Amino acid sequence: MAESSSIQATITPLPVGADAAAVIIVGGTFDPPHRAHLDLPLAVRSGWCRGAGVDESRTWLVYVPAARSPHKPAGPIASDAQRVAMLTAALVGGARTVIWTDEIDRAPNTGESFSVVTAQRARTTLDARPSGSATVLRWLIGADQAAAFHRWREPRRLISLAEPIVMLRGVKASAADLDAQLAATGVWSSDELAAWSARVVPAPRLDHSATVIRAALAAPTPDRAALARALGHQVLAYITREGLYGCGPRTYSGNMTPT
């Protein structure tokens, strides 16, 4: 169901500092959240702030759990409350990292989560603050998402509301490959393609995958040490207590028991 006139009028408060120079939205299902969800945005924030001349000490990462992604056929396995709880645990220790539940909160009225609506609501909230339009709003995406960005709802409007920052992940990632993929769509003008090139920020290589992690959690004897590295101890402990993804109180490899 598309977001329409039935959209929830009240916007969930955006929990960033009053003096925020910039807000970077990090959207996702977070089912479950893993270390790359924190470590990569932190690294990209630093790189982008240096390149853009923005004060990093006043730049916030705002995590937005999707109620249901329009780009995925099935919904999340964990409940909304469980995903928010896991994300809260994952972000412990991350400076100026917060969760904004606006997409989940409006889901009963709207169904699917469209980024352009979220960006408009974030921009409306920021513009109502004393600093107003002075606060920069950006949207963090991966190179794979950038290549498919033309399929997003109202992509050019989304760019005007929250210009993307594109994570170029790992040593095998290539800006030239991304440029070629964007050009091959036939959607973007030469000026738009140049703008896309300027949005790229390199990121460390962290090959964590929620799909792979869920499979590892459901294994007969999960490797708790490896899972703790991928998820963080607090997230793994929560998953174990809740029995999520087939992971419950049982014997783990290395003779380690859940905590």
Side-chain angles (χ1 to χ4, degrees):
M1 180 176 66
E3 304 198 49
S4 63
S5 58
S6 65
I7 190 169
Q8 173 183 312
T10 302
I11 301 175
T12 303
L14 189 58
V16 300
D19 66 340
V23 167
I24 301 173
I25 293 177
V26 184
T29 306
F30 307 116
D31 189 31
H34 47 69
R35 289 301 309 173
H37 287 135
L38 176 61
D39 294 343
L40 291 177
L42 286 173
V44 171
R45 176 174 65 182
S46 293
W48 176 77
C49 285
R50 286 194 301 271
V54 176
D55 184 356
E56 186 177 353
S57 70
R58 295 169 52 217
T59 299
W60 293 71
L61 292 174
V62 175
Y63 287 77
V64 180
R68 183 169 75 83
S69 171
H71 307 290
K72 295 182 179 180
I77 295 170
S79 70
D80 293 345
Q82 288 170 328
R83 289 185 296 124
V84 171
M86 287 188 290
L87 192 53
T88 300
L91 298 184
V92 169
R96 297 175 309 286
T97 58
V98 296
I99 301 169
W100 189 37
T101 59
D102 189 69
E103 288 196 4
I104 289 174
D105 296 339
R106 71 180 192 254
N109 295 325
T110 63
E112 294 177 336
S113 301
F114 288 106
S115 300
V116 67
V117 178
T118 299
Q120 178 63 73
R121 290 164 73 88
R123 185 72 264 169
T124 297
T125 300
L126 292 172
D127 288 349
R129 295 153 63 98
S131 56
S133 59
T135 303
V136 175
L137 181 63
R138 304 297 293 265
W139 197 292
L140 183 61
I141 61 175
D144 55 336
Q145 294 171 307
F149 200 81
H150 60 287
R151 299 192 185 98
W152 291 33
R153 174 69 63 93
E154 299 181 69
R156 288 183 173 85
R157 180 165 175 252
L158 176 52
I159 290 171
S160 71
L161 291 165
E163 186 179 357
I165 299 173
V166 182
M167 281 190 297
L168 199 60
R169 294 177 53 181
V171 295
K172 295 183 179 179
S174 165
D177 286 345
L178 176 59
D179 288 345
Q181 291 177 63
L182 289 165
T185 66
V187 171
W188 309 106
S189 69
S190 57
D191 287 345
E192 288 173 322
L193 289 171
W196 274 111
S197 295
R199 296 177 184 130
V200 171
V201 177
R205 182 175 182 179
L206 290 173
D207 292 328
H208 297 315
S209 159
T211 301
V212 172
I213 289 171
R214 288 195 298 268
L217 286 163
T221 54
D223 183 344
R224 185 169 177 80
L227 286 166
R229 288 192 296 271
L231 292 164
H233 290 283
Q234 291 177 310
V235 175
L236 178 56
Y238 180 88
I239 289 171
T240 304
R241 287 195 303 270
E242 294 289 306
L244 289 170
Y245 314 113
C247 177
R250 51 195 162 150
T251 302
Y252 285 75
S253 61
N255 295 319
M256 298 181 70
T257 56
T259 57

